Amino acid sequence: MSSLQAILIVEDEEAISRVLAAYLKKAGFKPIRAANGAEAMAYFEQEQPALVLLDLMLPDLDGHELLARIRVTSACPVIMLTARDGIGDRLAGLNGGADDYMSKPFMPEEVVARVNAVLRRRPVWTSDESRRLYGNLVIDFAAKQVLINGAEVELSRRELALLLFLAERPNRIFTREQLIEQVWGMDYDGSDRAVDLSVKRLRRALSHWSPEAGEIRTIRGMGYQCWLKE
Ligand code: CA
């Protein structure tokens, strides 16, 4: 028998937290309740939840800040819960790597439905060694698959090869000539402008990758690197 998927509920309003936990339990999950950011981080490490429901206004820190801390090491799906419904907050949440966003008041049934929807969108996290996490970006080197916030990123074969090559060798700088040789192949005889174009397309495809986790950097006068926060 497989164990239940844990859902971490980060919410300081006792009544809401309790109701959400009851509904999630009924839906077959293992709810874990945290009433502030510090508790949330401790439970997050301990329990490795399948998903986090995150209230924006917490007594000790802002939900956006907590999301950023989670995203340093994990692509675990996060649904933001909030009393605010301004477009600014919504965008900040989604740009910060939230997978979905719900404004209060909400029906607990709808929260459960969104939890299921978000979990269906992404594979359950495994300790598979071919898979690496770069903030909200996941690269599966064996399956040659790239995910951002759980959604697959569409890349051409060349862009994918370029990303895999750079991401496997993080923080190292490669010249255009080296990249042509490694990614395009020795028999390529076009211009090295091809590298610039592919990098441009790759960056566009990775535009939802959280910039504090990593990025494809241009090193002036030298070439490119996949910069990663270690
Ligand atoms: Ca609150």
Side-chain angles (χ1 to χ4, degrees), residues 95-167:
N95 288 337
D99 295 79
D100 203 350
Y101 202 100
M102 295 193 71
S103 303
K104 293 175 186 172
F106 42 66
M107 306 275 283
E109 293 91 336
E110 196 192 344
V111 177
V112 172
R114 300 257 193 132
V115 166
N116 280 316
V118 168
L119 288 176
R120 265 197 308 275
R121 282 211 303 259
R122 66 166 68 217
V124 174
W125 177 247
T126 65
S127 56
D128 188 340
E129 289 202 352
S130 66
R131 212 166 234 238
R132 283 201 222 162
L133 271 176
Y134 305 95
N136 63 339
L137 174 81
V138 174
I139 301 179
D140 188 324
F141 285 89
K144 301 204 185 308
Q145 199 186 28
V146 180
L147 305 165
I148 293 181
N149 295 332
E152 186 164 1
V153 179
E154 299 275 347
L155 295 171
S156 72
R157 273 177 50 197
R158 191 77 77 197
E159 291 149 22
L160 179 66
L162 183 61
L163 176 63
L164 295 181
F165 179 79
L166 288 171

Side-chain angles (χ1 to χ4, degrees), residues 24-88:
L24 286 166
K25 200 171 168 193
K26 217 166 68 184
F29 294 105
K30 176 189 172 192
I32 297 154
R33 293 163 61 197
N36 56 52
E39 259 180 49
M41 279 319 287
Y43 284 137
F44 184 78
E45 317 256 302
Q46 234 173 65
E47 304 277 345
Q48 306 199 325
L51 183 144
V52 180
L53 290 172
L54 178 57
D55 180 32
L56 193 54
M57 309 262 275
L58 294 166
D60 55 345
L61 83 175
D62 190 274
H64 291 306
E65 201 185 319
L66 189 60
L67 173 61
R69 286 195 202 174
I70 288 174
R71 282 287 170 265
V72 171
T73 57
S74 169
C76 174
V78 173
I79 300 178
M80 293 281 234
L81 307 175
T82 181
R84 303 182 200 168
D85 59 356
I87 184 76

